[in-house]
Amino acid sequence: MIGNFVYSNPTTLYFGKDACANLADALKAFGSKVLLTYGAGSIKRNGIYEDVINALTVAGKEVIELSGVMPNPTVDKMNEGARIARENDVDLILAVGGGSTIDYAKAISVAAWYDGNAWDHFFVEQKDPQPGERIIPVGAVLTMVGTGSEMNGGSVITNPVQKLKIGKVFGTDVMPRFAILNPEYTFTVPRKQMVAGIFDIMSHILEQYLSGDDDNTSDYLAEGLMRSLITSSRVAVKEPENYEARSNIMWTATWALNTLIGEGKSQDWMVHMIGQAIGAYTDATHGMTLSGVSIAYYRHIMAAGQQKFARLARNVWGIPSAGKTEEELASAAIEALADWIKEIGAASEISSLGVTEEMLDGIADATFIMTGGYKTLNHAEIVNILRESL
Ligand code: NZQ
Ligand code: ZN
């Protein structure tokens, strides 16, 4: 293991079919006013809303509802939530939904009591809340699997006017204090969203795995998670209500992005940076933006990280090394990923997400360039990767 790190994760997870039975108890640690945030209303159709309201009632909470959190939550919606949280002086924000709703809760937890432009401060300038600044605690009931937001400090907000989609990784104070993970709650997620979530998980793991050349435990953990994800995804796309598969995917997603497998190593994250810029331009589904650019990106950087791609082929995709050069093996890993994208039904082309040739330069401009991967890209390379992904 290289580097020095501090690993601390304060989120208490309640996992399984009966997870929500713990919600009333979990709520007891917080004051009486709860801001309940959720999306467009799927939770009212599938019964999750009722389970949550029952727990809030048992716990004796006063509930203020804030609905309409959209996929890829916007800065305007964040400002609205911050105002409502502050005006009502809430003690807890309870997010019931997927990554968008949980990310949104984290954003308003820091924005509510911040006297200034929260978008500029926390997202554009990437500032952290200072000691003494008030942060409203967040709790989560997860209904859609993929982002890992239930157990991390990430919050991604989109500014459609500035055409920027920016993620900020907050510290432990902003991470959910608890999260309810019932795999059955995910059964009603539309197939497209389920598949996007599955690819999002894969991308989180790959972007921490495909970097560095030291031997470290994190990479072995990553390989195990990917193997589990590939196995379960193949079951879930055929049988979306297969509890074993959906519960494995849920647990894998949490561990894919709660910082564990990234500790002590460099990380890539360029697929996410390009994907987020596509999201800022098109409002496309997050996981699909990632699958859409991954193959062109990985082909582009493969030579610089050949050994690791070859290891991916052997240890994750189970491709036999016999008779193959290291380069052929590395290439086979990327082709296996491309085949899997098609097999599960994730997007292979960003034109299907609304990206046009005219947007490519702007998307490349909106892409933050990271330096932790095998190759640092320049603007022209990003445009080429985008063009190859059309
Ligand atoms: O609005 P509702 O009605 O809730 O419908 C949602 C939404 O339309 C629906 N859905 C969720 N649970 C459902 C359900 N429909 C039926 N039954 C259920 N049980 O699914 C749709 C998508 O939900 P969303 O929360 O947008 O999906 P996801 O979890 O993929 O979150 C995407 C957001 O998270 C950010 C992305 O950029 C994007 O903004 N990310 C957050 C990260 C983090 N916090 O660390 C990291 C990720 O890389 C990602 O960037
Ligand atoms: Zn992601």
Side-chain angles (χ1 to χ4, degrees):
M1 300 287 284
I2 54 165
N4 305 299
F5 61 86
V6 176
Y7 181 73
S8 167
N9 198 310
T11 306
T12 301
L13 297 176
Y14 300 93
F15 193 96
K17 288 181 186 178
D18 300 329
C20 205
N22 298 289
L23 180 55
D25 260 358
L27 289 166
K28 282 187 187 146
F30 306 93
S32 61
K33 281 193 178 180
V34 176
L35 183 66
L36 175 65
T37 60
Y38 55 95
S42 63
I43 63 165
K44 292 207 167 159
R45 294 187 292 277
N46 57 24
I48 299 173
Y49 177 83
E50 217 180 331
D51 289 354
V52 171
I53 290 291
N54 284 342
L56 285 160
T57 307
V58 169
K61 303 297 180 188
E62 179 187 338
V63 180
I64 297 114
E65 293 199 22
L66 172 52
S67 62
V69 182
M70 61 290 277
N72 310 322
T74 63
V75 64
D76 284 351
K77 187 73 183 168
M78 173 185 78
N79 290 335
E80 178 200 345
R83 181 180 50 74
I84 293 170
R86 186 171 177 148
E87 279 172 8
N88 289 281
D89 195 4
V90 300
D91 301 300
L92 175 75
I93 305 168
L94 182 61
V96 184
S100 294
T101 302
I102 304 173
D103 282 15
Y104 177 72
K106 294 174 198 166
I108 59 179
S109 90
V110 296
W113 293 96
Y114 177 71
D115 288 318
N117 184 321
W119 163 254
D120 282 347
H121 183 75
F122 294 115
F123 291 89
V124 177
E125 294 162 20
Q126 295 280 298
K127 298 268 168 53
D128 285 304
Q130 294 307 299
E133 279 180 16
R134 187 162 162 197
I135 295 167
I136 304 171
V138 171
V141 177
L142 187 66
T143 69
M144 144 93 205
V145 162
T147 66
S149 190
E150 65 275 13
M151 203 187 193
N152 70 32
S155 172
V156 185
I157 297 294
T158 299
N159 187 324
V161 177
Q162 295 176 2
K163 289 210 176 349
L164 287 175
K165 181 175 184 184
I166 304 181
K168 163 73 185 160
V169 181
F170 291 104
T172 47
D173 287 352
V174 182
M175 289 167 66
R177 304 295 167 95
F178 63 85
I180 305 289
L181 274 63
N182 178 350
E184 285 184 343
Y185 281 178
T186 69
F187 285 178
T188 54
V189 170
R191 168 175 289 264
K192 178 188 149 191
Q193 293 292 346
M194 175 186 78
V195 168
I198 289 171
F199 195 83
D200 192 19
I201 303 165
M202 187 63 156
S203 198
H204 294 157
I205 305 172
L206 283 173
E207 293 187 65
Q208 294 168 93
Y209 179 78
L210 291 168
S211 54
D213 48 21
D214 60 317
D215 183 54
N216 66 70
T217 304
S218 295
D219 284 337
Y220 295 88
L221 292 171
E223 287 170 352
L225 290 176
M226 283 189 275
R227 286 164 56 182
S228 169
L229 180 67
I230 293 162
T231 303
S232 294
S233 69
R234 289 182 164 141
V235 177
V237 292
K238 291 204 184 84
E239 297 169 50
E241 299 204 2
N242 184 304
Y243 184 86
E244 188 173 52
R246 296 302 287 273
S247 61
N248 283 333
I249 294 170
M250 187 175 234
W251 194 224
T252 301
T254 303
W255 287 93
L257 199 57
N258 67 1
T259 79
L260 178 84
I261 64 164
E263 300 298 357
K265 67 187 304 277
S266 58
Q267 302 177 23
D268 181 319
W269 292 116
M270 275 315 295
V271 168
H272 265 68
M273 293 304 107
I274 302 172
Q276 281 177 201
I278 292 172
Y281 270 72
T282 61
D283 199 27
T285 299
H286 172 65
M288 298 304 188
T289 66
L290 309 175
S291 60
V293 297
S294 284
I295 300 307
Y297 174 69
Y298 290 131
R299 282 180 186 147
H300 187 78
I301 66 159
M302 188 191 92
Q306 193 168 289
Q307 273 190 328
K308 198 59 164 288
F309 282 97
R311 177 173 160 178
L312 178 70
R314 281 191 298 267
N315 294 359
V316 175
W317 295 113
I319 299 168
S321 324
K324 290 194 188 67
T325 64
E326 198 80 337
E327 187 184 350
E328 283 166 348
L329 256 185
S331 184
I334 299 173
E335 297 323 307
L337 182 66
D339 290 346
W340 181 69
I341 287 172
K342 291 206 174 72
E343 181 186 343
I344 62 172
S348 300
E349 289 143 2
I350 55 175
S351 51
S352 70
L353 309 175
V355 177
T356 60
E357 175 76 34
E358 296 69 46
M359 290 181 192
L360 302 189
D361 206 47
I363 293 173
D365 274 341
T367 301
F368 294 85
I369 295 176
M370 312 290 274
T371 56
Y374 288 120
K375 191 175 193 314
T376 300
L377 300 185
N378 60 35
H379 183 275
E381 288 174 296
I382 297 172
V383 172
N384 280 341
I385 288 164
L386 287 166
R387 187 165 291 122
E388 279 161 25
S389 305
L390 273 175

